[in-house]
Amino acid sequence: MIEINVSLYHSRDLLPIVEDLSLTLNEGDKIALIGEEGNGKSTLLKYLYDKELTKEYAVGKGKADLGRERAAYLPQEPEFPAVSAMEFLSPALYSADPGELAEYARRLGVETGFFWSDQCVRSLSGGEKIKLLFAKMLLQKPSVWLLDEPSNNLDLQALAWLEEMICALKEPVLFISHDERLLERTANGVLHFERLRRRTQPRHTFFRGGYRAYRETLLRAREKQAQVAAYERAEAEKREEKLRVIRDQVQRGLDTVSRADPHGARLLKKKMKSVLSQEKRYRREREDMTQPPEWEECILMRFPVFSVPAGKTALEISLPRLIAGDRLLAEDVRLTVKGRERVCIVGRNGCGKSSLLRIAAQAGEERRAFYMPQDYDEALRPGMTALTYLETQGGGAEREHIAACLGCMRFTREEMERDVAALSGGQRAKLLLTKANLTGAQVLILDEPSRNFSPLSAGAVADELARFSGAILFVSHDRAFIERVATAVFELTEKGLVPREKENLFF
């Protein structure tokens, strides 16, 4: 059993990130951390693993040190050295029991030789890198797992493996994920982080149960609370209206009572005193009434509506060969995307999906295309703020319009003026989509657009993209996102793009 009692604050202004979090982790717990971008989920995992990772921007108090626990930590954006897989896993690899290694290989879905490979880690696919990291953590024999977006960059086959892997872990797991299917199939507890009152007041809610059950329970509780609050207020207004009528009648009587009728005046004054006393009691009762439910709203994004003919070609790709470096990834890659089509590309890690999208972005420059790369650093440079990134002409009017757009994406004024390097992955994704909106792009080329969004925001983004007036070409492995957005799905194979039925993608 692991006890956590912690509060976290921003170093610069001491605004709370997480307040009075009390959590007990037991064997077999799979606790999903959910919430909007920038709500402190990744900061909490870093702080639990090693306070040094957050010392530049956050301070904490309370018991958050895992002490004697052997924590395995998977960061959201892991860095890999230019070494072989064997060197990456050493020295623990050399002391491991052969039978133990065989079991780890079975659980990871790889050959045992994968551990002893001399291939450079950086040249591995996204899925292979994550499996190598899991192997490294398994060799450490951890007593608790801290996983920050473990599904990032995994293909559909690797996602199936990840679900099985998390479910099979006996040690407690704290994990962050945007993938609704992964949450539904693995989590047996939910820790929901929110920021209320213009993102100044943190709130967390813990639920012992699955993710879908939590969503349903949360919605039912909000609906019931809203109904009770509305009923109590309606009844209070009826009582108060009757009392106002009586008060007005008494006041008119006081205004017209004759001096020759002192007894009548005394009765009216006594009646008015009783009415005022009743009003005071009603005001006290209002303070004790059920409050309307308060929750953090998800993002509000609206792309401009423009006319793009449904049959008009928006993007066309024709490649005899798709090459990355000296590797031939695919041959005869041909694709035409027409107006109002939303085409998703899937495929195994390392098959060339991101390379294809970069080529598509170059081809789409003449058609007002906007490209959102998988690596946000390709578009966002350290030193710029959200406001300066979105500015084109400068001036007060433009800045106010940009600030309003960022406000709809749930940026605070402080976050708008913060260095983009200090923003969370989800906030930077919001920033790129805001740029696409402001540029009026009619073709969107998006590489894993939902990768760092919370499940709540991802749903709002998916709904808006499904209404987009132009054309979209995107890569995704987010199954719920694909179901909501894509009008067509193609798998990138060595022989080119192969049409896939959407209902056969999921397992």
Side-chain angles (χ1 to χ4, degrees), residues 126-194:
E128 290 172 329
K129 288 176 181 175
I130 294 298
K131 289 185 178 184
L132 194 65
L133 279 171
F134 265 89
K136 190 178 185 74
M137 291 186 285
L138 284 168
L139 288 167
Q140 296 168 355
K141 296 182 172 56
S143 55
V144 59
W145 295 74
L146 308 174
L147 309 177
D148 195 346
E149 297 283 8
S151 61
N152 275 359
N153 305 323
L154 296 186
D155 58 32
L156 295 173
Q157 291 79 8
L159 279 171
W161 159 79
L162 180 63
E163 289 172 1
E164 295 177 1
M165 183 73 189
I166 292 177
C167 289
L169 292 173
K170 296 179 180 179
E171 304 81 16
V173 181
L174 274 176
F175 71 102
I176 301 168
S177 180
H178 68 275
D179 190 310
E180 288 189 65
R181 297 293 180 268
L182 182 70
L183 292 169
E184 290 172 356
R185 295 174 180 178
T186 59
N188 55 26
V190 178
L191 183 57
H192 185 182
F193 292 95
E194 297 175 276

Side-chain angles (χ1 to χ4, degrees), residues 43 110 158 204 220 228 254 301 358:
T43 297
V110 299
H204 62 268
R220 284 198 304 268
V228 171
L254 285 170
M301 182 177 66
R358 290 192 188 94

